[in-house]
């Protein structure tokens, strides 16, 4: 029997072998460091042909328009992203499956279609599109971080992949995930570690870390991640991207591989990650317009709803500076304050948001995630003898510390958790409605503004500083969330707060982790939260925020 190390090395070699020989550079990461770069995007912009750099700098929306008007061909766009993705992978280790030849052949077919018919195939005609490893494509592995799944080719195509392909998307890679997709960093015995696109010393985040790294380095214009505890929003925030965490039932999850199949109390959802709000809206609208609820029984038959009033009316925001459990670092606090100041200048209103049961939401979320005490993961790992990850060890220790029995929960315990979640949803909604008592016009808030993560990421391997406090509650509630970049860490502005009195030992640890010089230049994002099934509103509000911030910069 081949050992797990040999099987992992064989898989990594196979992935690398799918890259054309002329694009292989065994010394690329050393060359990058020798030239003084830690930012992969900036480094590749300096070494790749400038015609390719110009292409990969465009957003998905811009690329589609240029292909449609024949200013660019599908082939040259696909070639530029394949070439760049090949180098990004060799630097950041972010791709699990590579199939450039199939993508380039598809791009040629789309070019021929446009020439012969004069029409595009669909709204994504010719757009290179990356997929998190979970998304199934026939004949391609879906390993979700397990060595034991290597060689298990998918038979079915995920419904979302069908929708995107029918719209003209060109798939060219599937990206890395942590073991079982249960971590806020992206590391597994199978592929190793995936690094941050903007700083090699930092974590890519997880579990959609491969997507975050690839898109952050401009190796893909648009892709999809999944999110059960922050797995879209965390890598997006760590790499200065835009990400949409939709509510369950808006985007088809049918035939997407997952851990803990059947756990639907806090369902995993699938959504886009990209380089602009417009790209996220493009994705969401076309997928919802596909009426996939005719095939996926888990979807809500809710058509796309335009919300033009959101971009014209006065909006009301609840500002959550802190959950009173972990205080965000100074750059995150500054991003929140600058966002609110920009909104006020544009005529919008900000009120305080202090929901009193944040800890209960986090605790109940962790109980759901650890309902079997991670036995499923352990059993799968034991089939090959691969070790359990440090992240999983820490998760087990933390849940044990919080009173978990150390074995799978019983039916009565599961029912009790279900009742608790229902109660929290009711209390949260009631609290939301009572914000009408705080606003000047007696109307409840339109959205919450809060951190996506309490810091501007964490250094690669520093998993003990993981903190999903600002993402997990909205998975429990199943609310619609958008992450968008606001600023960067400025070591001159973002001075440590010596006066902060820690809420707890965890807060003290995270507070002391902040070193301005270490984080300098890292992106800082904020999170916009709307009620359940309000994806259109969340995206529109994110666009309003971005517009207000841009107006302030012009002053």
């Amino acid at each position: 029997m081949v050992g797990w190390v040999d099987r992992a090395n064989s898989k990594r070699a196979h992935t690398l072998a799918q890259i054309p020989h002329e694009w292989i550079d065994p010394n690329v990461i050393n060359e990058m460091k020798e030239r003084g770069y830690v930012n992969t995007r900036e480094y590749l912009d300096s070494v790749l042909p400038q015609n390719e750099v110009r292409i990969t700098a465009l957003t998905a929306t811009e690329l589609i328009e240029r292909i449609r008007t024949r200013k660019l061909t599908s082939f040259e766009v696909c070639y530029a992203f394949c070439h760049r993705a090949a180098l990004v992978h060799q630097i950041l280790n972010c791709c699990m499956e590579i199939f450039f030849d199939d993508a380039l052949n598809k791009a040629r077919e789309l070019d021929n279609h446009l020439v012969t018919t004069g029409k595009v195939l669909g709204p994504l005609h010719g757009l290179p599109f990356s997929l998190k490893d979970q998304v199934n494509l026939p004949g391609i592995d879906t390993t979700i971080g397990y060595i034991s799944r290597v060689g298990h080719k998918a038979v079915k195509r995920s419904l979302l992949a069908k929708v995107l392909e029918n719209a003209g998307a060109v798939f060219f890679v599937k990206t890395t995930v942590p073991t079982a997709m249960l971590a806020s960093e992206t590391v597994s015995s199978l592929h190793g570690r995936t690094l941050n696109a903007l700083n090699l010393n930092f974590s890519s985040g997880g579990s959609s870390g491969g997507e975050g790294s690839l898109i952050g380095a401009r190796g893909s214009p648009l892709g999809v991640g999944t999110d059960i505890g922050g797995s879209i929003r965390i890598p997006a925030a760590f790499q200065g991207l835009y990400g949409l965490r939709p509510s369950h039932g808006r985007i088809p999850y049918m035939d997407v591989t997952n851990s803990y199949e059947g756990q639907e109390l806090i369902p995993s959802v699938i959504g886009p990650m990209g380089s602009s709000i417009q790209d996220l809206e493009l994705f969401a609208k076309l997928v919802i317009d596909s009426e996939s609820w005719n095939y996926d029984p888990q979807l809500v038959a809710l058509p796309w709803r335009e919300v033009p009033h959101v971009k014209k009316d006065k909006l009301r925001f609840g500002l959550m500076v802190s959950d009173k459990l972990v205080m965000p670092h100074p750059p995150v606090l500054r991003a929140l304050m600058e966002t609110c100041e920009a909104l006020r200048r544009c005529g919008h209103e900000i009120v305080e948001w202090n929901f009193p049961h944040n800890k209960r939401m986090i605790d109940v979320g962790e109980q759901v995630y650890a309902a079997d005490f991670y036995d499923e993961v352990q059993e799968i790992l034991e089939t090959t003898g691969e070790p359990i990850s440090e992240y999983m060890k820490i998760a087990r220790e933390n849940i044990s510390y919080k009173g978990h029995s150390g074995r799978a929960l019983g039916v009565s315990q599961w029912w009790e958790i279900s009742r608790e979640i229902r109660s929290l949803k009711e209390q949260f909604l009631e609290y939301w409605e009572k914000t009408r008592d705080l606003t000047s016009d007696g109307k409840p808030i339109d959205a919450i503004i809060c951190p996506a993560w309490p810091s501007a990421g964490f250094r690669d391997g520093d998993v003990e500083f993981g903190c999903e406090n600002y993402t997990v509650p909205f998975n429990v509630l199943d609310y619609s969330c958008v992450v968008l970049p606001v600023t960067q860490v400025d070591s001159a502005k973002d001075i440590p707060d010596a006066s902060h009195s820690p809420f707890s030992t965890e807060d003290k640890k995270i507070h002391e982790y902040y070193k301005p010089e270490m984080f300098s230049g890292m992106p800082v994002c904020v999170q916009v939260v709307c009620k359940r099934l309000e994806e259109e509103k969340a995206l529109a509000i994110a666009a309003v925020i971005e517009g207000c911030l841009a107006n302030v910069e012009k002053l």
Side-chain angles (χ1 to χ4, degrees):
M1 179 180 177
V2 178
W4 68 264
V5 174
D6 290 338
R7 292 183 68 179
N9 288 338
S10 177
K11 178 62 178 178
R12 296 180 199 183
H14 174 79
T15 300
L16 193 63
Q18 305 313 301
I19 297 174
H21 178 73
E22 61 271 22
W23 292 350
I24 294 289
D25 183 354
N27 202 39
V28 64
I29 192 165
N30 291 328
E31 292 169 353
M32 175 177 165
K33 290 177 180 178
E34 286 170 3
R35 292 185 55 183
Y37 285 94
V38 294
N39 185 313
T40 301
R41 181 194 300 176
E42 293 178 355
Y43 172 68
L44 292 179
D45 283 349
S46 74
V47 297
L48 283 167
Q50 285 306 294
N51 64 310
E52 294 183 19
V53 171
R54 285 190 290 271
I55 289 172
T56 55
L58 298 171
T59 67
T61 305
E62 292 168 336
L63 287 164
I64 291 166
E65 178 62 16
R66 280 167 173 72
I67 293 171
R68 185 188 67 80
T69 55
R70 304 193 197 184
K71 293 176 182 176
L72 290 171
T73 66
S74 300
F75 182 84
E76 61 187 329
V77 170
C78 187
Y79 184 94
F81 277 99
C82 287
H83 187 193
R84 191 172 182 111
L87 294 174
V88 172
H89 173 65
Q90 292 173 75
I91 297 169
L92 301 177
N93 193 25
C94 57
C95 295
M96 201 66 242
E97 307 293 337
I98 293 173
F99 31 97
F100 295 156
D101 287 344
D102 291 344
L104 291 168
N105 288 334
K106 178 69 174 180
R108 287 191 186 94
E109 292 174 10
L110 289 169
D111 284 333
N112 290 335
H113 175 88
L114 182 55
V115 169
T116 56
T117 68
K119 298 178 181 179
V120 293
L121 182 67
L124 298 181
H125 183 102
L127 181 72
F129 203 103
S130 51
L131 300 168
K132 187 176 182 179
D133 184 51
Q134 286 176 262
V135 182
N136 289 313
L137 298 175
I140 296 175
D141 282 4
T142 300
T143 54
I144 61 170
Y146 287 119
I147 293 171
S148 60
R149 291 180 183 262
V150 171
H152 293 193
K153 309 296 182 187
V155 177
K156 284 188 173 182
R157 189 182 306 272
S158 297
L159 177 56
L160 179 59
K162 293 178 184 178
V163 171
L164 296 172
E165 201 164 49
N166 289 341
V170 178
F171 304 135
F172 66 118
V173 295
K174 293 211 300 176
T175 51
T176 52
V177 300
T179 306
M181 301 162 302
L182 295 173
S184 54
E185 63 171 357
T186 298
V187 58
S188 73
S189 297
L190 176 58
H191 84 275
R193 308 193 71 87
T194 296
L195 305 178
N196 188 290
L198 306 185
N199 190 324
L200 292 175
N201 299 309
F202 274 69
S203 169
S204 64
S207 65
S208 308
E211 278 299 311
S213 286
L214 184 66
I215 298 170
R218 300 301 299 158
S220 172
L222 189 58
V224 291
T226 62
D227 193 314
I228 193 173
S231 292
I232 288 172
R233 291 162 288 164
I234 294 166
F238 284 14
Q239 273 136 146
L241 300 174
Y242 300 79
L244 168 66
R245 186 264 175 215
S247 295
H248 179 55
R250 280 325 289 277
I251 307 297
Y253 211 101
M254 187 174 175
D255 294 324
V256 171
T257 298
N258 203 8
S259 293
Y260 300 122
E261 294 279 2
Q263 187 288 105
E264 297 185 358
L265 189 54
I266 301 179
S268 176
V269 296
I270 193 163
M273 300 168 66
S275 299
S276 75
I277 288 291
Q278 292 73 26
D279 291 353
L280 302 192
E281 185 172 327
L282 169 74
F283 170 94
K285 185 177 187 304
L286 81 86
V287 173
I288 291 170
D289 282 346
S290 72
E291 299 185 357
S292 296
W293 51 76
N294 291 315
Y295 308 97
D296 186 346
Q298 296 277 35
L299 291 181
V300 180
L302 183 62
W304 180 264
R305 301 156 296 176
E306 296 292 346
V307 286
H309 64 281
V310 170
K311 296 185 179 181
K312 297 185 296 183
D313 295 349
K314 167 192 169 182
L315 299 173
R316 301 145 209 86
F317 294 91
L319 171 63
M320 179 169 71
V321 173
S322 164
D323 65 353
K324 302 298 187 288
L325 300 170
V326 172
M327 178 62 74
H329 283 177
V332 179
L333 295 174
R334 177 170 61 84
L336 291 170
M337 295 303 105
E338 289 180 356
T339 299
C340 289
E341 178 59 26
L343 287 167
R344 287 192 184 99
R345 289 191 180 190
C346 291
H348 304 294
E349 186 173 3
I350 312 294
V351 300
E352 289 187 6
W353 178 273
N354 291 301
F355 183 65
H357 304 303
N358 293 312
K359 186 175 187 304
R360 283 173 59 196
M361 288 197 291
I362 294 166
D363 287 348
V364 78
E366 290 179 348
Q367 289 179 61
V368 171
Y369 304 146
D372 77 333
F373 201 58
Y374 304 106
D375 284 348
E376 177 187 295
V377 178
Q378 184 73 56
E379 289 171 5
I380 295 174
L381 293 176
E382 287 175 354
T383 63
T384 55
E386 58 183 295
I388 193 167
S389 69
E390 287 302 312
Y391 187 93
M392 199 68 67
K393 289 178 183 176
I394 292 171
R396 274 184 161 176
E397 291 170 2
N398 287 344
I399 201 69
S400 296
Y401 174 76
K402 293 179 179 180
H404 195 288
S405 63
R407 56 181 181 273
L409 300 179
V411 173
S412 61
Q413 292 171 303
W414 190 250
W415 289 346
E416 180 58 37
I417 290 171
S418 300
R419 286 192 291 269
E420 174 75 355
I421 287 177
R422 182 177 64 195
S423 174
L424 284 166
K425 287 180 177 179
E426 292 169 355
Q427 292 175 71
F428 197 90
L429 193 58
E430 181 182 8
Y431 190 89
W432 188 297
E433 287 304 304
K434 284 185 176 179
T435 57
R436 64 176 68 247
D437 298 333
L438 303 175
T439 60
S440 60
D441 57 7
K443 294 181 180 180
I445 60 171
D446 295 285
I448 298 168
I449 297 175
C450 64
W453 190 266
S455 67
F458 57 85
R459 290 178 72 89
D460 181 50
D462 287 352
V463 68
E464 68 270 23
F465 295 98
C467 179
E468 296 89 358
N469 281 36
Y470 294 94
T471 53
V472 166
F474 303 117
N475 292 90
V476 173
L477 298 166
D478 194 26
Y479 276 25
S480 307
C481 308
V482 173
V483 163
L484 69 155
V486 169
T487 188
Q488 294 179 331
V489 179
D490 185 328
S491 58
K493 293 180 180 178
D494 302 318
I495 308 301
D497 181 7
S499 67
H500 174 59
S501 179
F503 302 121
S504 64
T505 54
E506 180 186 20
D507 183 38
K508 183 176 186 292
K509 179 181 70 174
I510 291 175
H511 176 73
E512 293 175 348
Y513 187 62
Y514 179 62
K515 305 290 188 298
E517 296 75 18
M518 181 175 83
F519 284 93
S520 183
M522 291 302 291
V524 185
C525 292
V526 299
Q527 181 174 205
V528 176
V529 180
C530 288
K531 293 178 185 175
R532 184 170 179 268
L533 302 173
E534 289 190 344
E535 287 70 33
E536 299 92 338
K537 187 175 184 180
L539 289 165
I541 287 176
V544 168
I545 291 172
E546 192 165 57
C548 292
L549 287 165
N551 286 338
V552 169
E553 288 180 3
K554 292 176 184 177
L555 295 178

